[in-house]
Amino acid sequence: MELANRVKALTPSTTLAITAKANALKAEGHNVIGLGAGEPDFNTPDHIIEAAYRAMKEGHTKYTASGGLLSLKHAISQKFKEDQNLDYSPPEIVVGTGAKQSLYTLFQVLLNDRDEVIIPTPYWVSYPEQVKLAGGVPVYIEGKEENAFKITPSQLEQAVNNKTKAIIINSPSNPTGSLYSEDELKQLGEVCLKHNILIVSDEIYEKLIYGGASHTSIAQLSPELKGQTIIINGVSKSHSMTGWRIGYAAGNSAIIKAMTNLDSHSTSNPTTISQYAAIAAYEGTQEPVEEMRKAFESRLDTVYEKLIRIPGFTCVKPKGAFYLFPNVKEAIKLTGFETVDEWVSALLEEEKVALVPGSGFGSPDNVRLSYATSQEKFEEALERIERFMKKNSK
């Protein structure tokens, strides 16, 4: 049977082979340290779990409205008001089965065949594939390492043409942890307004920011930019709720209505119990969020200094998320490998450390390491990487 062309066009995940190999080594009894985690290593806070249990006991186990519970939309609206002084009414919010599903639905309702979406590199692996699944064309702009992996207004201006429909801004970024300043966002926003480009602002890591920096949403900067922006967010990273699968989109009510209509024919509604848990996440204490942020910042400050001492490694210190994204081009040269994928594979084979190759993020000179793991394990992994470099350097 012939598969659909849209599926054939997908690029296989570069992490699949390394993940399969790591799992096989673990099954053989090897002590593999995996630094590929894209989720906090903390459990969901107790008051959120208790709220979900209470909701089930009270009989909240049936379908909800396709776009999410009204009470959850009100909680999200209040979160926007408190955190960013943004006003979004329930018709301007749609709750989805995770931020990823919200992004997928957005591109499905937004893009026609051959519409272009500008994606800065390095990028989260699913952005280009979701654009392609909607019939769109990913257009890449390199976020240069010397600019902390961020793009500039002149780069954006050069990439725009009459097919450009949208741009994705992910701040803080997966995989780099880079954070756009208010001034940088203003300048990018001016280009978007000039050319009538929709801004897809992925803010899923907004609560995980370090070094005294602060998060700015581009939608905060003017009424015009708010009207031109769809914010994507959720509780996965901020409240350690990755498995609960609750995300949302906020913005133009016509786009939100279209997303809601599409969801009604795909997911029916986000998981009811998880929605009640998300209400508790936003309406309850935020102390666990800050405790987790502080723990990540402490790990970052410790492991970053050790990472940059490894021969052949350079690294821009991230300001958010929970990833390090070092440049290992020189390390690859020193050890005689041809590509980052070969280098990562050999490291896993010899030292049982699993990293994510940067090729999957559009950055073949880098690797991604997640410090959403214990500091003890991370430091042991760095010792193994350093040993690997010493053994294999030519």
Side-chain angles (χ1 to χ4, degrees), residues 35 150 157 162 263 332 336:
L35 300 181
K150 294 179 284 188
E157 187 75 57
N162 59 8
D263 283 345
I332 294 168

Side-chain angles (χ1 to χ4, degrees), residues 140-247:
Y140 304 109
I141 301 177
E142 182 186 2
K144 296 188 181 295
E145 199 160 344
E146 56 266 30
N147 192 40
F149 300 106
K150 294 179 284 188
I151 65 168
T152 65
S154 60
Q155 285 180 295
L156 177 56
E157 187 75 57
Q158 291 170 20
V160 172
N161 61 49
N162 59 8
K163 293 181 180 178
T164 306
K165 194 73 172 281
I167 179 174
I168 302 172
I169 296 176
N170 179 207
S171 176
S173 159
N174 174 9
T176 67
S178 62
L179 181 72
Y180 282 91
S181 69
E182 182 176 328
D183 187 57
E184 289 167 333
L185 289 172
K186 277 182 182 175
Q187 293 181 53
L188 292 174
E190 287 171 5
V191 179
C192 293
L193 290 174
K194 175 183 173 183
H195 295 284
N196 194 29
I197 301 168
L198 185 76
I199 302 161
V200 181
S201 184
D202 183 348
E203 303 178 11
I204 195 71
Y205 290 96
E206 62 154 334
K207 295 293 184 181
L208 299 176
I209 294 177
Y210 318 117
S214 60
H215 174 264
T216 299
S217 171
I218 195 167
Q220 290 174 254
L221 302 181
S222 72
E224 293 77 17
L225 282 169
K226 179 176 181 284
Q228 198 81 2
T229 300
I230 299 291
I231 294 177
I232 302 291
N233 208 331
V235 292
S236 290
K237 316 297 183 181
S238 58
H239 294 79
S240 196
M241 294 176 66
T242 52
W244 297 79
R245 308 313 301 135
I246 293 292

Side-chain angles (χ1 to χ4, degrees), residues 10 22 47 74 110 157-158 166 186 229 234 251 281 288 311 341 383 387:
L10 292 177
H47 72 282
H74 281 305
L110 182 68
E157 187 75 57
Q158 291 170 20
K186 277 182 182 175
T229 300
D341 294 74
E383 289 173 6
R387 187 166 64 216

Side-chain angles (χ1 to χ4, degrees), residues 99-136:
K100 179 184 281 191
Q101 190 257 330
S102 296
L103 276 166
Y104 177 86
T105 304
L106 172 61
F107 291 129
Q108 288 293 321
V109 305
L110 182 68
L111 301 180
N112 289 310
D113 285 348
R114 311 308 296 170
D115 281 345
E116 294 184 359
V117 177
I118 292 172
I119 303 176
T121 67
Y123 49 73
W124 178 53
V125 293
S126 291
Y127 291 149
E129 306 314 310
Q130 290 192 352
V131 168
K132 288 189 282 186
L133 281 167

Side-chain angles (χ1 to χ4, degrees), residues 262-336:
L262 180 55
D263 283 345
S264 73
H265 292 292
S266 56
T267 58
S268 289
N269 63 269
T271 303
T272 302
I273 300 141
S274 295
Q275 291 187 68
Y276 282 97
I279 292 170
Y282 279 144
E283 293 186 346
T285 176
Q286 301 303 302
E287 287 181 12
V289 177
E290 178 60 11
E291 288 170 5
M292 185 170 65
R293 189 203 66 78
K294 285 180 177 177
F296 283 137
E297 182 166 25
S298 176
R299 291 179 196 176
L300 169 62
D301 289 340
T302 301
V303 299
Y304 174 79
E305 294 301 327
K306 296 187 176 185
L307 177 83
I308 58 175
R309 292 201 292 266
I310 297 175
F313 277 57
T314 60
C315 187
V316 177
K317 189 173 183 179
K319 291 187 176 180
F322 40 66
Y323 308 107
L324 290 162
F325 199 62
N327 186 309
V328 293
K329 186 175 182 179
E330 189 60 30
I332 294 168
K333 275 186 190 175
L334 287 171
T335 48

Side-chain angles (χ1 to χ4, degrees), residues 4-26:
N5 291 334
R6 72 179 67 87
V7 176
K8 291 179 185 177
L10 292 177
T11 303
S13 170
T14 57
T15 64
L16 286 180
I18 204 81
T19 301
K21 193 171 182 180
N23 289 338
L25 289 169
K26 284 180 182 177

